[in-house]
């Protein structure tokens, strides 16, 4: 159950209700909000005078549920709004990893020429092998910051453990929590303490309920700026890297109130079908599309097989625009 306390309720009173109901308590800038375990279906009567409204919930998808907010929340990606009253589908594009100043500058120059506003690039890479390129770390973040200052991008970059969160907050506009990190409570709780937008990627063995509950850690910690990203789940299929779960996207749209971004690059794992998949993603009326693009993918230090060449990305944008228009969306 979600309880909105009256604006006159004091911090001490809010803490008292929270203790009595085993709730998570946060302040959403106008009022104290308490989230009780979902099995609680009515508030203790002695606190009735403090409560403005109560939302009874079926399960622990609570703050992110359509039963709480019946539309997609508005969230900012840098200066661009997605969700809310907008029909925006934001393009987030760039290389898998920031590799050098030369590489990220070439990416940035190209993205700018296409009107892309959100540049991505990982600096703390969650690699499967300790012998693979691990990312440039803080040096990479500084390069992204430089691109933001020179070109006016908003920057999307990932955290690999909670010790990186402060650096990523300082240099990026959107903190990406990767598929392998979305169960990391240190990261989730650290991201809850900032107001920066947090992009949570679905773990490849994660149910939709678990995915939604990862978002609850950030929301109930007080940060309401959360977007969900489907990037493929592991199935029996081995011809593709993962399986993009569009049924899951339909579920997320129906039952959650968070903007949804799709990442066909990590799902397929190969360049050849990314444009077709992107059309399918955009046709679902999503809030954003994340695509990996590299100036010279053949020599990329991570995810070389899936990153698009620049000319392929130019064609992808031309391919998705009419699809977006057909479903009442604008690519921004
Ligand atoms: C990435 O975006 O480069 C990445 C590592 O993604 P994921 O966490 O989805 O594997
Ligand atoms: Mn990648």
């Amino acid at each position: 159950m979600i309880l909105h306390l009256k604006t006159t309720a004091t911090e001490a009173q809010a803490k008292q209700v929270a203790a009595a109901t085993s709730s998570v308590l946060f302040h959403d800038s106008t009022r104290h909000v308490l989230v009780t375990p979902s099995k609680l279906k009515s508030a203790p009567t002695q606190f009735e005078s403090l409560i403005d409204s109560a939302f009874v919930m079926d399960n622990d998808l609570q703050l992110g549920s359509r039963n709480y907010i019946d539309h997609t929340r508005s969230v900012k990606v840098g200066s661009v709004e997605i969700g809310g009253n907008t029909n925006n589908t934001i393009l987030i594009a760039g290389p898998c990893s920031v590799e050098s100043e030369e590489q990220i500058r070439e990416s940035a120059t190209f993205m700018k020429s296409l009107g892309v506003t959100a540049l991505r690039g990982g600096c703390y890479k969650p690699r499967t092998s300790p012998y693979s390129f691990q990312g440039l770390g803080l040096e990479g973040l500084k390069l992204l910051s430089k691109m933001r200052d020179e070109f006016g991008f908003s920057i999307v970059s990932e955290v690999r453990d909670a010790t990186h969160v402060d650096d990523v907050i300082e240099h990026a506009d959107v903190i990406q929590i990767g598929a392998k990190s979305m169960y990391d409570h240190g990261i989730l709780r650290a991201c809850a303490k900032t107001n920066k937008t947090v992009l949570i990627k679905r773990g490849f063995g994660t149910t939709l309920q678990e995915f939604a509950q990862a978002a609850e850690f950030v929301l109930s910690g007080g940060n309401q700026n959360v977007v969900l990203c489907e990037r493929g789940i592991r199935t029996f299929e081995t011809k593709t890297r993962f399986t993009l779960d569009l049924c899951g996207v339909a579920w997320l749209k129906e039952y959650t109130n968070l903007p949804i971004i799709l990442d066909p690059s990590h799902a397929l794992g190969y360049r050849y079908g990314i444009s077709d998949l992107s059309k399918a993603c955009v046709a679902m009326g999503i809030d954003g599309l994340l695509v990996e693009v590299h100036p010279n993918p053949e020599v990329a230090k991570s995810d070389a097989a899936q990153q698009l060449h620049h000319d392929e990305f130019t064609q992808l944008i031309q391919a998705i625009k009419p699809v977006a228009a057909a479903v009442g969306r604008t690519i921004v």
Side-chain angles (χ1 to χ4, degrees):
M1 196 166 49
I2 300 170
L3 303 174
H4 285 181
L5 297 195
K6 290 183 176 156
T7 50
T8 48
T10 63
E11 179 81 23
Q13 287 171 321
K15 283 187 174 154
Q16 208 188 347
V17 186
T21 54
S22 309
S23 297
V24 178
L25 166 68
F26 69 95
H27 197 272
D28 78 352
S29 82
T30 50
R31 56 171 113 74
H32 296 289
V33 179
L34 290 120
V35 190
T36 79
S38 52
K39 60 180 186 290
L40 193 71
K41 303 296 181 194
S42 64
T45 47
Q46 74 265 34
F47 299 123
E48 257 167 23
S49 63
L50 295 173
I51 296 168
D52 191 26
S53 42
F55 305 81
V56 178
M57 293 291 153
D58 299 338
N59 58 62
D60 277 348
L61 163 55
Q62 300 210 60
L63 295 165
S65 165
R66 288 252 159 182
N67 291 336
Y68 176 50
I69 295 174
D70 67 1
H71 55 269
T72 307
R73 291 167 182 252
S74 160
V75 175
K76 288 280 190 70
V77 174
S79 55
V80 175
E81 183 185 357
I82 57 171
N85 292 323
T86 78
N87 287 318
N88 290 336
T89 299
I90 190 161
L91 256 185
I92 302 171
C96 179
S97 302
V98 177
E99 298 172 7
S100 66
E101 176 154 1
E102 190 190 7
Q103 172 244 21
I104 198 65
R105 184 176 293 285
E106 204 176 334
S107 291
T109 308
F110 172 67
M111 292 304 164
K112 186 72 186 175
S113 76
L114 295 181
V116 171
T117 61
L119 179 70
R120 65 145 284 147
C123 301
Y124 300 96
K125 296 305 299 180
R127 304 308 297 281
T128 305
S129 166
Y131 313 117
S132 305
F133 177 61
Q134 305 292 306
L136 294 184
L138 186 56
E139 185 195 337
L141 284 176
K142 287 182 180 162
L143 291 174
L144 286 172
S145 261
K146 208 168 169 180
M147 297 305 111
R148 173 173 53 197
D149 295 346
E150 286 182 31
F151 295 90
F153 290 114
S154 45
I155 299 294
V156 180
S157 199
E158 69 200 278
V159 287
R160 194 181 55 215
D161 68 58
T163 63
H164 308 138
V165 177
D166 288 343
D167 286 341
V168 179
I169 290 171
E170 187 184 335
H171 294 283
D173 302 279
V174 175
I175 310 163
Q176 177 176 315
I177 302 178
K180 291 174 187 152
S181 305
M182 62 141 272
Y183 290 107
D184 186 323
H185 292 176
I187 292 179
L188 293 168
R189 289 187 195 283
C191 288
K193 293 203 187 86
T194 163
N195 271 331
K196 286 260 163 122
T197 296
V198 181
L199 183 157
I200 307 178
K201 289 188 140 196
R202 182 181 179 187
F204 42 77
T206 297
T207 65
L208 294 164
Q209 181 73 26
E210 288 165 347
F211 186 26
Q213 283 174 188
E216 293 287 322
F217 275 94
V218 182
L219 295 166
S220 66
N223 184 354
Q224 304 304 298
N225 302 307
V226 178
V227 300
L228 299 176
C229 178
E230 161 62 27
R231 48 76 75 208
I233 53 174
R234 182 156 283 158
T235 65
F236 56 82
E237 189 51 74
T238 55
K239 297 289 186 202
T240 58
R241 191 177 182 195
F242 295 98
T243 298
L244 189 64
D245 184 13
L246 294 186
C247 293
V249 173
W251 186 90
L252 294 170
K253 284 183 69 180
E254 185 71 13
Y255 292 104
T256 78
N257 59 37
L258 302 170
I260 297 161
I261 294 188
L262 264 70
D263 168 1
S265 297
H266 290 86
L268 180 59
Y270 301 98
R271 271 186 278 291
Y272 65 84
I274 302 299
S275 182
D276 278 351
L277 272 174
S278 296
K279 286 190 274 183
C281 293
V282 170
M284 289 198 73
I286 51 165
D287 305 290
L289 186 74
L290 186 156
V291 182
E292 285 194 344
V293 186
H294 192 287
N296 188 1
E298 282 74 16
V299 298
K301 293 188 173 171
S302 57
D303 288 348
Q306 71 198 28
Q307 301 197 61
L308 297 186
H309 295 102
H310 283 180
D311 61 334
E312 291 168 325
F313 188 60
T314 306
Q315 286 161 20
L316 180 148
I317 294 184
Q318 291 318 313
I320 60 174
K321 277 189 176 163
V323 179
V327 296
R329 292 263 164 181
T330 310
I331 302 290
V332 292

